[in-house]
Amino acid sequence: LEHKLTSLCCEGVRYREETLATGDFLFLLEPAAEGNDSPLGGKRVLPVIIERKTPSDLASSLEDNRYQSQIRKMVASGLAIKVYLVEGKIDDLTPEQQTLLDELATTKGFHIVYTTNGWKTALTLGQIARLLNEGVISGSLQPSALPTMDEVTTRVNRAGGGGGGGGGRGGGGFQFGRMTAIAPPNIGR
């Protein structure tokens, strides 16, 4: 997936790798003039957080009890739009996994998104980045109303977890206009 994310740079979307307290992807409001090595702490977090799983990743996170912790942290982040992105064949999900995803949508307000492969995931992330960028440009997303990365991290840590969203993986990001999206550094490896 990483090389597919890198290809989005050609479309005006940059990404970088960072360690996240929760989730695999975050979108940050960041002046385009800032380099990819600028600190994240004070940057504003746009209201979308995404956890990406393949069916086998989901099975593993259920077996080692990461699933509940990851969901708890995403809810604690306080970000309005929580997305659980399942990458792979829907037929590879067990009935138990399908039921858990249905419960996420109905009881916790998560959006469940299915993609068939890494390329479709990268395209979906690019579409989300563009929609958020339009919200910033139009003024429907006000920077002063957005939490900072430090605030989101503090919320997650108070909920009993922190460091290494995505089951201990770090994160990286995309930048589109004034926005950066954060994604895991070892995604797809």
Side-chain angles (χ1 to χ4, degrees):
L1 179 60
E2 183 177 354
H3 67 279
K4 293 169 181 82
L5 298 177
T6 302
S7 71
L8 291 176
C9 294
C10 298
E11 298 179 35
V13 179
R14 294 188 316 170
Y15 85 96
R16 75 186 205 183
E17 299 175 355
E18 296 290 340
T19 299
L20 302 176
T22 186
D24 286 326
F25 301 97
L26 290 176
F27 299 83
L28 302 178
L29 198 58
E30 180 173 59
E34 289 189 18
N36 269 359
D37 59 351
S38 61
L40 295 179
K43 293 188 189 318
R44 299 289 178 174
V45 180
L46 290 151
V48 176
I49 184 168
I50 301 171
E51 179 71 28
R52 173 190 163 266
K53 294 280 187 219
T54 64
S56 63
D57 290 339
L58 180 55
S60 295
S61 69
L62 288 168
E63 288 173 16
D64 64 16
N65 296 317
R66 283 181 292 125
Y67 175 82
Q68 291 299 332
S69 174
Q70 290 168 338
I71 299 307
R72 185 181 68 251
K73 290 182 205 179
M74 288 179 71
V75 170
S77 74
L79 298 175
I81 303 170
K82 296 170 289 298
V83 177
Y84 209 85
L85 188 148
V86 180
E87 180 181 295
K89 294 180 182 178
I90 295 175
D91 294 343
D92 290 344
L93 292 170
T94 66
E96 177 192 26
Q97 291 170 331
Q98 291 173 352
T99 299
L100 283 171
L101 294 172
D102 290 343
E103 288 173 1
L104 267 184
T106 57
T107 65
K108 301 227 183 268
F110 276 65
H111 299 271
I112 311 301
V113 174
Y114 297 95
T115 64
T116 54
N117 55 47
W119 179 249
K120 300 268 176 127
T121 296
L123 290 175
T124 299
L125 294 171
Q127 289 171 336
I128 293 169
R130 285 176 193 76
L131 289 170
L132 290 170
N133 193 57
E134 288 173 18
V136 170
I137 291 169
S138 72
S140 63
L141 290 172
Q142 292 294 319
S144 61
L146 301 171
T148 66
M149 180 64 109
D150 287 336
E151 291 167 339
V152 170
T153 299
T154 298
R155 291 174 191 163
V156 170
N157 289 339
R158 283 188 190 143
R169 296 188 309 230
F174 308 90
Q175 185 167 324
F176 188 81
R178 298 173 49 205
M179 180 186 58
T180 297
I182 306 300
N186 60 348
I187 197 160
R189 291 183 199 165

